């Protein structure tokens, strides 16, 4: 069961020759979710081998252009590809007005429905749920309403212990009951607790995406225990004053958030165009949080299973 994040764009607002603005593709059990949609995101999806038709939903952190301008041409292209299933888009207001304008002037006859859900950026709320996944909003501190997203895998189904099946001679019905989390009574009347017969195949995994924001202890707390955390680091550590004024974070802020969250790994991105060497920025974060990595386009960060 896969859980991975592919970086499609890692730059902030100003274009650079080798970095696209913010966009990521999150793969949870081969179901894909787009997180932010900077310019060129549809080309980036194709470039890195992700079929745009596989997108189940899009999550937009805020309505600055470098996080949303790429969504509208993607909507058009999905129509050309012949998409028929609805695409859910989670974004702060007034995204609905922007979407209505686009549909009125450019995509009047899309063969599928675009369903907008408003993200209330001051609330930590469940936005999306299916059989294997929950996505929660994380309030952030930016110059405009902005939310991060926490992708959290649900508890996987219990596995029956094959050695215990053989030991107790369990029937198919008894095995099914054990997998449902029930205790099992044997033919001789012995009651076996569920823990005797089953085990959890792996711990649920999680990914936290903290887009444009000042350092927020509250946001970090809401991501506690994340296996992988992405945190913007627009500026180097020495630029803390300008970062604070512009609603952004430094490399040290990102590292402090990862420490506060007790995350397992940190990925930084959203670099200002003034910086040419992303590894140098990651090195600053690494001084506080050793498991820090630089976002690079086309790189996939896989969250492995653990007991």
């Amino acid at each position: 069961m896969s859980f991975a994040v592919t970086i499609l764009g890692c730059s902030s607002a100003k274009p650079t020759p080798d970095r696209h603005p913010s966009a990521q593709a999150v793969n949870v059990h081969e179901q894909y979710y787009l997180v932010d949609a900077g310019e060129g995101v549809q080309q980036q999806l194709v470039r890195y081998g992700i079929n745009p038709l596989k997108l189940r939903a899009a999550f937009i952190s805020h309505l600055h252009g470098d996080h949303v301008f790429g969504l509208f041409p993607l909507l058009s292209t999905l129509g050309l590809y012949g998409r028929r299933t609805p695409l859910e888009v989670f974004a702060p207001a007034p995204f609905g007005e922007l979407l209505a304008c686009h549909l009125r002037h450019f995509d009047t006859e899309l063969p599928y429905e675009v369903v907008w859900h408003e993200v209330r950026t001051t609330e930590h709320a469940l936005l999306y749920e299916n059989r294997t996944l929950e996505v929660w909003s994380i309030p952030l501190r930016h110059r405009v309403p902005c939310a991060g997203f926490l992708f959290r895998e649900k508890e996987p189904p219990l596995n029956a212990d094959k050695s215990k099946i053989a030991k107790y001679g369990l029937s198919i019905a008894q095995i099914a009951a054990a997998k449902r989390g029930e205790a099992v009574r044997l033919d001789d009347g012995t009651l076996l607790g569920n823990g005797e017969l089953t085990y959890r195949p792996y711990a649920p995994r999680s990914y936290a995406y903290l887009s444009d924001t000042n350092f927020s202890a509250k946001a970090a707390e809401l991501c506690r225990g994340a296996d992988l955390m992405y945190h913007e680091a627009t500026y180097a550590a020495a630029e803390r004053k300008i970062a604070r004024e512009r609603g952004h974070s430094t490399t040290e802020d990102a590292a402090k958030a990862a420490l506060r969250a007790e995350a397992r790994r940190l990925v930084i991105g959203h670099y200002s165009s003034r910086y040419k060497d992303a590894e140098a920025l990651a090195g600053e974060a690494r001084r506080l949080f050793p498991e820090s990595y630089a976002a690079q386009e086309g790189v996939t960060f896989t969250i492995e299973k653990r007991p």
Side-chain angles (χ1 to χ4, degrees):
M1 294 294 186
S2 54
F3 198 144
V5 179
T6 299
I7 307 299
L8 305 175
C10 56
S11 179
S12 57
K14 289 184 180 179
T16 73
D18 55 355
R19 293 179 190 146
H20 287 73
S22 293
Q24 298 183 6
V26 180
N27 174 0
V28 183
H29 300 189
E30 298 310 314
Q31 296 180 5
Y32 285 83
Y33 306 90
L34 182 65
V35 185
D36 277 340
E39 296 171 66
V41 67
Q42 59 178 330
Q43 290 98 327
Q44 292 293 86
L45 286 165
V46 173
R47 180 172 290 122
Y48 297 119
I50 299 168
N51 184 346
L53 287 174
K54 288 188 175 182
L55 293 175
R56 299 291 297 269
F59 296 86
I60 305 299
S61 61
H62 64 294
L63 300 184
H64 277 161
D66 57 323
H67 294 257
V68 72
F69 280 165
L71 182 62
F72 302 104
L74 174 61
L75 298 180
S76 297
T77 300
L78 289 174
L80 296 176
Y81 284 169
R83 185 185 181 100
R84 294 293 184 270
T85 57
L87 178 70
E88 297 186 78
V89 179
F90 297 81
F95 177 79
E97 298 175 26
L98 305 177
L99 177 62
C101 184
H102 173 80
L103 295 178
R104 184 166 63 250
H105 293 287
F106 296 100
D107 281 320
T108 56
E109 296 181 356
L110 277 183
Y112 67 96
E113 184 181 7
V114 182
V115 183
W116 171 52
H117 304 273
E118 181 180 353
V119 176
R120 300 183 184 277
T121 59
T122 60
E123 299 176 5
H124 175 52
L126 179 63
L127 301 176
Y128 176 91
E129 179 179 22
N130 61 26
R131 188 173 55 85
T132 59
L133 175 70
E134 295 178 346
V135 183
W136 292 75
S137 59
I138 305 290
L140 297 179
R141 298 169 53 202
H142 193 38
R143 290 173 292 139
V144 299
C146 186
F149 303 106
L150 177 64
F151 290 75
R152 190 163 64 196
E153 200 173 32
K154 290 184 176 180
E155 283 279 348
L158 293 170
N159 280 354
D161 187 327
K162 291 182 180 180
S163 66
K164 298 300 174 65
I165 292 173
K167 177 179 178 180
Y168 296 112
L170 299 182
S171 67
I172 293 176
Q174 288 170 324
I175 294 169
K179 287 184 174 182
R180 291 195 299 268
E182 300 171 13
V184 171
R185 191 174 296 279
L186 302 180
D187 293 342
D188 64 4
T190 302
L191 185 66
L192 299 176
N194 186 262
E196 168 71 7
L197 302 173
T198 64
Y199 63 94
R200 183 178 68 176
Y202 57 90
R205 294 163 287 181
S206 60
Y207 171 59
Y209 176 87
L210 302 186
S211 178
D212 298 20
T213 185
N214 285 143
F215 171 80
S216 169
K218 178 182 177 182
E221 289 287 351
L222 291 173
C223 304
R224 181 164 294 279
D227 292 278
L228 183 66
M229 173 186 281
Y230 170 86
H231 197 291
E232 73 119 294
T234 307
Y235 297 103
E239 302 289 349
R240 60 180 63 87
K241 184 175 184 293
I242 191 172
R244 191 176 303 115
E245 291 171 350
R246 296 185 178 180
H248 286 295
S249 291
T250 67
T251 53
E252 286 186 352
D253 290 330
K256 288 175 182 177
L259 285 169
R260 185 70 174 253
E262 297 181 359
R264 291 177 177 270
R265 285 186 293 166
L266 169 67
V267 178
I268 62 167
H270 198 264
Y271 317 118
S272 167
S273 60
R274 72 185 67 185
Y275 303 112
K276 310 305 179 190
D277 185 359
E279 277 302 322
L281 295 174
E284 289 189 347
R286 217 170 278 131
R287 290 201 291 263
L288 289 177
F289 190 81
E291 287 295 314
S292 296
Y293 302 88
Q296 303 280 5
E297 294 186 13
V299 172
T300 296
F301 293 90
T302 299
I303 305 174
E304 302 291 352
K305 292 180 182 177
R306 55 184 175 83

